[in-house]
Amino acid sequence: MLTVGMIGLGAMGEHMARNLANAGYLHALYNRTTAKADKLGQELNVTVAQTPEALAADVDIVCLCVSRDEDVLAIIHTIKKTIRQNSVVIDMSTVSNHTAKQAAAFLACCNVDFLDAPVSGGVEGAKSGKLAMMVGGDSAVLEKVRPILTSMATRIVHIGATGSGQATKAVNQIMAAGINQAVTEALAFALAQQLPMDKVIDVISGGAASSWFLQNRGLSMTENHYPAGFKVALHQKDLAICLQMGHDSGVSLPLTLQTSDDYQQLIAEGLGECDISALYCLKTNLKTK
């Protein structure tokens, strides 16, 4: 059986690591905050690597789930020193398609395959192992590792060449920005009409205007509660990637720009660690609990 190492144990990575362990694939963990890795390693009975290099030298597959482009490239440069030939690196972070192409080129020099495989489905999907995964890279490499990925995702789609997975994730993040704007604006309107919010959410969730976001965040936001499922600061980071990609390809993204500006205001008000449903605060002038 192929052995897997997981680098990055944030809100998504921790749960993906659990699912890899439950499927019998996880061999090693690494996290910049060592206390978190030590605790999870003890719980899952897997090795805790002291460095990314040590992890890469000890597994067949390296999975990454970190926050930023520079973090991905730093890890790639680090593990190049020790990674086994014919290994596979699967990056499940959300970064630019340019970064994915850079990472693949760096690893190709070491005879290591690379897949950009960002995910969608939020913390709930990561916990349940029901993420959607959009994959760029060699389709034969994807088939080699597909059994491993199915422990974390129920929908795994090969999009095309390296970088196409990240480009598809950018589509997802742009769409999520628009849905957030629509749902929070509509519910702020409902509040102003003095409607019973629970009933409004219930009936609309059964109709054509329903969405995952409305169903899973509608009630909590109307109760002025914003649990950190998908953090404002992280979506803000993702939208910056989308805006740059749009600029580079000559595509205007006005709604994405508006959402980015709104998130910047939320961050300035200290709400960067809240769920993106905190956008409701701006629509209603509410303060978070």
Side-chain angles (χ1 to χ4, degrees):
M1 179 183 286
L2 294 172
T3 56
V4 179
M6 184 75 187
I7 297 177
L9 301 174
M12 300 289 286
E14 177 181 351
H15 298 299
M16 289 191 278
R18 291 180 191 278
N19 288 325
L20 286 167
N22 290 337
Y25 291 113
L26 190 65
H27 179 71
L29 296 170
Y30 173 80
N31 193 61
R32 188 161 48 190
T33 304
T34 55
K36 188 169 189 178
D38 290 340
K39 181 179 179 181
L40 188 61
Q42 185 175 15
E43 175 190 332
L44 300 178
N45 194 29
V46 298
T47 301
V48 177
Q50 297 305 302
T51 63
E53 301 99 305
L55 180 143
D58 199 33
V59 296
D60 303 305
I61 312 292
V62 178
C63 290
L64 308 180
C65 189
V66 296
S67 295
R68 300 183 183 278
D69 292 58
E70 53 266 33
D71 297 330
V72 169
L73 293 178
I75 289 169
I76 295 299
H77 282 300
T78 298
I79 65 177
K80 275 178 58 180
K81 304 169 188 175
T82 58
I83 195 166
R84 303 172 181 177
Q85 289 193 11
N86 301 313
S87 298
V88 181
V89 174
I90 305 168
D91 181 26
M92 298 177 292
S93 316
T94 297
V95 295
S96 72
N97 57 346
H98 178 65
T99 292
K101 292 174 184 177
Q102 282 186 291
F106 293 144
L107 291 170
C109 297
C110 307
N111 198 25
V112 173
D113 290 308
F114 176 85
L115 296 174
D116 54 298
V119 299
S120 180
V123 173
E124 291 89 345
K127 285 181 179 179
S128 65
K130 295 181 179 179
L131 292 165
M133 184 175 288
M134 44 219 84
V135 185
D138 190 318
S139 60
V141 176
L142 171 58
E143 293 313 309
K144 175 182 175 181
V145 302
R146 186 180 287 272
I148 291 166
L149 300 182
T150 56
S151 68
M152 299 176 282
T154 52
R155 179 171 295 182
I156 302 165
V157 178
H158 181 246
I159 304 297
T162 300
S164 61
Q166 293 295 354
T168 305
K169 181 60 184 289
V171 174
N172 184 88
Q173 301 307 73
I174 291 168
M175 203 169 292
I179 291 168
N180 191 5
Q181 289 283 3
V183 171
T184 55
E185 182 173 291
L187 291 183
F189 174 81
L191 181 67
Q193 303 307 309
Q194 301 181 344
L195 297 172
M197 301 301 285
D198 56 340
K199 293 181 180 179
V200 169
I201 292 165
D202 180 51
V203 69
I204 292 177
S205 291
S210 181
S211 68
W212 182 97
F213 189 64
L214 176 64
Q215 293 175 14
N216 289 273
R217 295 290 184 265
L219 281 176
S220 59
M221 75 173 77
T222 61
E223 294 168 354
N224 199 25
H225 179 56
Y226 311 99
F230 185 18
K231 295 179 182 180
V232 168
L234 286 179
H235 201 193
Q236 161 79 1
K237 180 267 298 183
D238 294 351
L239 294 185
I241 293 170
C242 298
L243 289 166
Q244 183 61 56
M245 290 175 65
H247 177 270
D248 293 344
S249 56
V251 177
S252 177
L253 301 170
L255 186 58
T256 303
L257 180 59
Q258 179 60 56
T259 308
S260 178
D261 289 344
D262 288 344
Y263 286 166
Q264 194 58 53
Q265 183 176 341
L266 289 172
I267 291 169
E269 294 177 7
L271 304 180
E273 296 300 299
C274 292
D275 184 79
I276 62 170
S277 54
L279 185 59
Y280 186 69
C281 292
L282 295 187
K283 310 291 186 184
T284 59
N285 294 317
L286 292 172
K287 298 296 184 182
T288 59
K289 291 181 179 178

